[in-house]
Amino acid sequence: MTGEAYEKTRNFEKSLKLENLTDGSFQDEIRVWYLQSSYDNHVLFIAKTDSLKKWSLRTISFYKNKSDSIYTDYSRPLRNSSIDSLDFSKLWKMKSQSDLANGDTYSCKDGEDIFIELSQRNKYRFLWYKCPEINKYKDSVFLTAWTLADRLDAFAVEH
């Protein structure tokens, strides 16, 4: 599943014309892919720092099966207090579903996927979770992934 999830992310990355993070990035960047299986609409959150180490959040909503796939794309700054509460540094240590004992047993027939990409200078990590909302009380990594995808947009500063 890790290879399949990783490849799906690379394909979306190309279709959305995003930079590849696998060799690291100049600034800290976290991508949270929230992919719904029953629906064609998906959301990508991109949290990253600028040269002054201030965080911003770009939100891209897109369809996977349409040629004009992006239907919303906007950026906003993230609150400093939100960055502290999310504790992005702990994501580097978090287990992916494939790292869990019996990770393949955490699944569902029709649910969302959350893929998380972490990138820093010369450093990259890919994490994936199948049906995190359903499995969030079975293992804390699912709760962390689901909470990140669920709350990230709320942490942005409204204009």
Side-chain angles (χ1 to χ4, degrees):
M1 176 60 191
T2 301
E4 183 181 315
Y6 176 82
E7 192 59 38
K8 186 185 292 189
T9 305
R10 299 287 64 81
N11 290 334
F12 284 138
E13 179 182 75
K14 286 176 191 169
S15 71
L16 297 174
K17 297 176 176 60
L18 299 171
E19 287 184 39
N20 185 297
L21 298 179
T22 58
D23 291 328
S25 57
F26 186 68
Q27 304 294 348
D28 295 347
E29 185 168 332
I30 294 128
R31 292 182 184 170
V32 179
W33 301 83
Y34 185 70
L35 310 173
Q36 300 180 50
S37 65
S38 293
Y39 303 102
D40 188 25
N41 54 327
H42 300 305
V43 179
L44 167 61
F45 299 107
I46 302 174
K48 65 185 200 176
T49 59
D50 62 16
S51 59
L52 301 174
K53 295 291 182 191
K54 294 189 182 220
W55 285 88
S56 65
L57 178 69
R58 180 179 177 194
T59 303
I60 303 171
S61 299
F62 64 99
Y63 299 111
K64 68 179 175 184
N65 295 318
K66 292 186 180 181
S67 59
D68 57 342
S69 66
I70 296 175
Y71 62 92
T72 61
D73 185 351
Y74 56 93
S75 296
R76 297 173 292 166
L78 282 172
R79 293 182 190 98
N80 288 336
S81 59
S82 299
I83 298 302
D84 294 340
S85 70
L86 290 172
D87 193 8
F88 283 134
S89 61
K90 81 175 180 180
L91 294 176
W92 283 98
K93 299 172 189 154
M94 194 165 89
K95 289 184 178 184
S96 183
Q97 184 170 340
S98 57
D99 298 327
L100 299 174
N102 302 316
D104 291 337
T105 62
Y106 297 100
S107 192
C108 64
K109 291 188 184 234
D110 188 27
E112 73 281 352
D113 291 328
I114 293 177
F115 304 151
I116 300 171
E117 293 182 278
L118 308 168
S119 182
Q120 293 177 324
R121 185 180 301 271
N122 301 320
K123 190 174 176 184
Y124 173 81
R125 182 132 194 254
F126 180 82
L127 307 158
W128 68 274
Y129 306 94
K130 180 78 177 161
C131 308
E133 187 171 7
I134 292 169
N135 293 306
K136 65 185 176 186
Y137 299 116
K138 296 176 184 172
D139 193 292
S140 64
V141 296
F142 291 99
L143 179 59
T144 301
W146 181 80
T147 301
L148 180 62
D150 187 54
R151 296 188 182 162
L152 197 54
D153 197 44
F155 290 145
V157 175
E158 295 298 325
H159 291 295

